[in-house]
Amino acid sequence: MAATAPPAAPPSAPPRHPPRKRDWSWRSQAFRGLVYQVVAFAVIALLVWFLAHNTLENMRARGIQSGFGFLGQPAGFEIGEMLISYESIDPYWKAFLVGVLNTLRVAIIGIILTTLIGALVGIGRFSNNALVRGLCYGYVELFRNVPVLLQLLMWYLFLTEVLPATYDPWNVLQLFFLSKGGIAIPAPVWGLGQGLAAVGAVIGLGVAAMYRQWATRRFEATGQPLPMFWPSVAIVLAVALLGWILGGAPTAWNVPKQGDVMVEGGMTATPEFLAVLFGLVFYTAAFVAEVVRAGISAVPHGQTEAAGSLGLSKGQAMRLVILPQALRVIIPPMTNQYLNLTKNSSLAVAIGYPDVVSITNTAINQTGRAVECIAIIMLVYLTTSLATSAFMGWYNKRAAIK
């Protein structure tokens, strides 16, 4: 009779270590670090309090009013360009809001255009066509070596001196007008259909992003690339079209028309806005192009050879192999260029664009609240810069090697 094996002993539980007690003695490096941080924070807070208290006391001794109560008073000045309704009888806080929106308008549109132009020029530096490479190189060397303020002035002079007068503008099909008064283009009359179309476009962007992720995973699993750009565009347009149809399919358009003195109607952009936008975009795009070129150069050449051995075309290799790896090098310095563009928008005051700095200068001249107004400017640019850094930090983590 065969002997049965004894039952296996149950696995022993891992030994439990007693919880480590925090060492509150000065010999503990963690405790000393905590003490140093508390002391540094207290010293900084004390310095800030001293400076603020001393400033307020000196202002009070000289009879200078202080505080942010003036924000509720009527501003008393007009603003030439705005995204929301504003009149001179509105309070100062609304005037500041108009300036902030004008600044964000330049920054957001400028970042989008800068990314597109900079990426195209940076990739063009690797073109097989010598003429394309030369043009991209010349663009970078021209625009990044001319001061940005000078470029703003040059664009402003071109838009206000070279272009035709407002009563005789250049036009295309009597729909698009360009003159010293700016550019005027047709715009849809905003209603429910346009609102649902905008919502649909946002939803379509999310669906397109999911499609791109699925196509990327399928490519990694099977090695068969799928088209990404045109299907993504089709998804966004289809969902936006669906929203437009659900909103009643409105077809009303606000078309600009030539008047006796100037172009009337449509969606317009002033020379000041165009000068700021063109100057910042072309200047910053030159630096972005160099960032993109450096990121692509950082990818080992063996990756290009491996992509070619798999049968990928040069465009597919750039899109599917090179750029995804280059992004890990491109994103951090690209963030700096976005921040520079946002902060350089403060130079718009030199050509009369009503951004937050220009409106703040007017408020200082009228109220004398220089400290408070400068604090508002600092808060605006600090908030926009931190928000941009946070978004790019999140995107950098997504693009990083897991």
Side-chain angles (χ1 to χ4, degrees), residues 77-88 90-105 353-354 359:
F77 60 88
E78 298 287 347
I79 300 177
E81 190 168 351
M82 50 197 164
L83 296 178
I84 60 175
S85 61
Y86 168 82
E87 297 179 358
S88 59
D90 289 329
Y92 276 101
W93 67 263
K94 194 169 186 178
F96 279 106
L97 179 60
V98 171
V100 171
L101 293 178
N102 286 340
T103 297
L104 293 178
R105 178 190 181 193
Y353 179 69
I359 292 175

Side-chain angles (χ1 to χ4, degrees), residues 6-328:
S12 59
R16 295 184 178 180
H17 299 283
R20 299 181 62 181
K21 296 182 179 179
R22 184 178 295 275
D23 188 0
W24 295 103
S25 66
W26 190 254
R27 292 174 297 180
S28 172
Q29 183 179 1
F31 176 72
R32 292 198 306 271
L34 179 62
V35 172
Y36 294 151
Q37 293 180 31
V38 172
V39 172
F41 178 79
V43 171
I44 294 174
L46 181 62
L47 288 175
V48 172
W49 173 85
F50 173 77
L51 291 174
H53 177 74
N54 191 44
T55 301
L56 293 176
E57 288 297 327
N58 290 332
M59 293 174 62
R60 188 178 299 110
R62 290 166 173 78
I64 302 176
Q65 296 181 353
S66 61
F68 292 91
F70 73 97
L71 293 176
Q73 301 174 1
F77 60 88
E78 298 287 347
I79 300 177
E81 190 168 351
M82 50 197 164
L83 296 178
I84 60 175
S85 61
Y86 168 82
E87 297 179 358
S88 59
I89 60 175
D90 289 329
Y92 276 101
W93 67 263
K94 194 169 186 178
F96 279 106
L97 179 60
V98 171
V100 171
L101 293 178
N102 286 340
T103 297
L104 293 178
R105 178 190 181 193
V106 170
I108 294 175
I109 299 177
I111 286 175
I112 295 174
L113 295 179
T114 294
T115 304
L116 294 176
I117 296 175
L120 291 176
V121 174
I123 296 174
R125 296 288 298 274
F126 297 90
S127 174
N128 292 330
N129 191 312
L131 178 61
V132 174
R133 291 198 311 270
L135 289 176
C136 294
Y137 175 78
Y139 170 87
V140 171
E141 294 302 321
L142 173 64
F143 283 98
R144 76 170 179 173
N145 291 309
V146 178
V148 60
L149 180 58
L150 182 58
Q151 294 191 39
L152 296 181
L153 296 175
M154 290 173 58
W155 280 109
Y156 184 69
L157 290 175
F158 171 78
L159 292 170
T160 57
E161 298 295 335
V162 178
L163 293 181
T166 56
Y167 57 83
D168 187 25
W170 294 337
N171 73 87
V172 178
L173 302 177
Q174 294 295 322
L175 295 176
F176 306 91
F177 297 85
L178 180 63
S179 67
K180 294 180 180 179
I183 185 172
I185 61 176
V189 179
W190 192 261
L192 178 61
Q194 286 78 8
L196 292 180
V199 174
V202 174
I203 297 175
L205 288 174
V207 177
M210 291 188 293
Y211 166 77
R212 292 177 65 89
Q213 291 180 354
W214 173 80
T216 302
R217 288 195 299 267
R218 187 176 184 276
F219 169 73
E220 293 173 350
T222 63
Q224 298 178 356
L226 292 175
M228 291 189 180
F229 178 76
W230 292 114
S232 300
V233 173
I235 291 172
V236 174
L237 293 179
V239 181
L241 179 62
L242 178 61
W244 177 71
I245 294 174
L246 293 176
T251 58
W253 284 77
N254 184 8
V255 180
K257 297 180 180 179
Q258 176 61 47
D260 296 334
V261 179
M262 58 184 298
V263 178
E264 301 173 352
M267 182 173 61
T268 61
T270 63
E272 291 79 11
F273 170 74
L274 294 176
V276 173
L277 184 65
F278 291 164
L280 293 178
V281 166
F282 286 107
Y283 175 78
T284 312
F287 291 90
V288 171
E290 284 298 278
V291 170
V292 174
R293 183 194 62 81
I296 294 175
S297 299
V299 178
H301 186 65
Q303 297 292 317
T304 304
E305 296 175 343
S309 66
L310 293 175
L312 297 180
S313 65
K314 188 171 183 180
Q316 290 175 332
M318 180 65 70
R319 178 170 58 88
L320 300 174
V321 179
I322 306 302
L323 283 181
Q325 299 182 67
L327 275 179
R328 303 181 179 107

